[in-house]
Amino acid sequence: MRPAWLPPAEEDLPVPVPANIDIGADCQIWSALAFLHYRSERPLGLRMGRNSVLWGVTMLDLGPQAELAIGDFSGMLEVTVTTNGSVTVGDFAIIGHHVVIAGGQAPLPPEDKVEPDVVPEPIDIGSGVFIAAGSIVLPGARIGDEAVVGAGTVVDGEVPPGATAFGNPYRVIER
Amino acid sequence: MSGELAEVTGGWDYGTLPPNIHLGEGCFIEMPDSFGGCRSTRDPAVTLGNRVRVYGWTRFNLEPAGCVEVGDDSVLVGAMLMGAERITIGARVVVSYFVTIADSDFHPRDPESRRRDSLALLPGGDPAQRAPLSTAPVVIDDDARIGIGAIVLKGVRIGAGAHVEAGSVITHDVPAGAYAAGNPARVSTMP
């Protein structure tokens, strides 16, 4: 019998883990359910550096052209990523509970696409960024290094490095 | 397909749902958990039109008197539907991730009534002693689109083809074809 302290065997995972991902040393993904709607056809749909985590109920609803790249030592807790574009997260980023990083206002799961996937503007989240609970990050968001995004903020544009963004529509306090 | 996988991919037996949940033809329900919070004693409690698609994390959390109706070809990606009276969703509506739609505040506004409400609900209390809920139906008309994380509160009507943008909090009607965005939401004609 497999010892309880070992992660589950590949064949016991609830959802198959895709082949086109690159996960660095000491990363953790809490559940293979994260890949339930994953359908990226890029050479690497998901890249994670080292010691980064996707904890809690994560959803990676990545379209055929989608790429999610996460740096080193970044933590994403109960985050939903639903896009057909590119999302980059730097090192030492903390992205809080129930944050949604999305390619549109109301993106659809794979079986419901009525039109061919369009590629939305990329989303760039810098290093040392802190995005608090319930925020929504939309295409065109560029969140500079060490910026803070307050809880429940909707970001669809620039947040300068070190600044604090909050509200819906969002406002920025520069460092 | 293993039993465990069927429970998250819509491959489970829809015949196991309670009889007051009525499905049209060609509906897809990703996870049976969506109906775990349905305490409605009405029949029908939930009516889904033809080809309605219900993805995981959608929740039909209904009080005993609550009911929900969804029109043909609508997609519920991840809605929390909190119903104590009636929530009506039209045809071809998209309701996105983490949307909340509620037709009641579920607790009284007056502090003293609210204390008594808490006592009735908490351990040792008698839920039958709760004050009657104040409710007002919610209507979302055909072809509307409710963006990620939006909150739609009681008594609201969202007109046909209206767009509710991500993260909006809707406390007043949105006219047909309009855009509503922000907290509190402001309505405009241009995106």
Side-chain angles (χ1 to χ4, degrees):
Chain A
M1 199 180 144
R2 196 176 177 85
W5 45 266
L6 268 183
E10 184 90 31
E11 61 270 23
D12 291 336
L13 291 174
V15 170
V17 174
N20 60 340
I21 64 174
D22 179 20
I23 309 292
D26 295 318
C27 286
Q28 289 183 358
I29 297 177
W30 188 71
S31 169
L33 275 179
F35 296 107
L36 186 59
H37 291 172
Y38 179 100
R39 61 191 196 290
S40 174
E41 294 165 5
R42 303 290 299 169
L44 286 176
L46 170 65
R47 275 180 292 151
M48 291 171 78
R50 52 170 296 209
N51 296 73
S52 287
V53 298
L54 296 171
W55 277 343
V57 180
T58 302
M59 190 72 204
L60 302 178
D61 180 0
L62 301 182
Q65 302 302 316
E67 285 182 324
L68 170 61
I70 303 169
D72 304 334
F73 297 94
S74 282
M76 295 170 65
L77 316 174
E78 311 230 309
V79 171
T80 299
V81 184
T82 168
T83 185
N84 192 35
S86 133
V87 177
T88 315
V89 178
D91 305 328
F92 290 97
I94 298 175
I95 303 187
H97 289 267
H98 292 147
V99 168
V100 183
I101 300 171
Q105 294 283 347
L108 289 170
E111 289 78 7
D112 279 295
K113 302 280 180 198
V114 280
E115 293 160 12
D117 285 303
V118 291
V119 178
E121 278 187 83
I123 292 172
D124 190 3
I125 299 171
S127 290
V129 166
F130 179 19
I131 303 180
S135 293
I136 299 169
V137 183
L138 293 171
R142 292 176 306 280
I143 304 177
D145 292 348
E146 297 177 1
V148 174
V149 175
T153 305
V154 178
V155 181
D156 57 0
E158 186 93 26
V159 178
T164 301
F166 64 98
N168 174 20
Y170 79 100
R171 286 171 280 166
V172 167
I173 303 173
E174 303 258 358
R175 177 156 58 182
Chain B
M1 187 182 288
S2 76
E4 198 179 350
L5 189 55
E7 296 260 303
V8 296
T9 55
W12 51 283
D13 177 13
Y14 299 170
T16 56
L17 288 171
N20 61 350
I21 293 171
H22 298 267
L23 309 184
E25 283 175 24
C27 286
F28 168 84
I29 300 163
E30 196 170 35
M31 303 186 190
D33 279 1
S34 289
F35 292 97
C38 183
R39 298 186 289 118
S40 176
T41 53
R42 292 174 69 161
D43 191 7
V46 178
T47 310
L48 303 185
N50 297 325
R51 300 171 301 279
V52 171
R53 301 181 71 84
V54 178
Y55 286 92
W57 304 288
T58 296
R59 287 288 179 279
F60 293 87
N61 285 6
L62 302 186
E63 295 288 322
C67 69
V68 172
E69 195 178 324
V70 183
D72 295 347
D73 298 296
S74 286
V75 185
L76 307 180
V77 183
M80 170 72 78
L81 301 164
M82 303 173 65
E85 184 182 349
R86 175 176 287 274
I87 297 172
T88 310
I89 297 175
R92 300 173 301 280
V93 171
V94 175
V95 182
S96 193
Y97 292 89
F98 305 115
V99 168
T100 300
I101 301 172
D103 65 7
S104 170
D105 298 333
F106 294 96
H107 305 282
R109 281 283 283 276
D110 167 57
E112 182 50 37
S113 311
R114 202 159 58 238
R115 265 191 289 275
R116 278 187 270 115
D117 193 56
S118 297
L119 286 173
L121 280 169
L122 292 171
D126 174 11
Q129 299 302 310
R130 291 192 72 184
L133 294 176
S134 146
T135 64
V138 174
V139 179
I140 298 176
D141 287 326
D142 295 350
D143 299 296
R145 185 191 79 183
I146 315 294
I148 301 162
I151 300 175
V152 180
L153 295 177
K154 70 177 196 290
V156 164
R157 178 168 203 139
I158 295 177
H163 285 195
V164 171
E165 303 293 61
S168 309
V169 178
I170 309 292
T171 54
H172 293 90
D173 289 358
V174 178
Y179 283 77
N183 176 14
R186 293 184 183 186
V187 171
S188 64
T189 49
M190 290 294 288

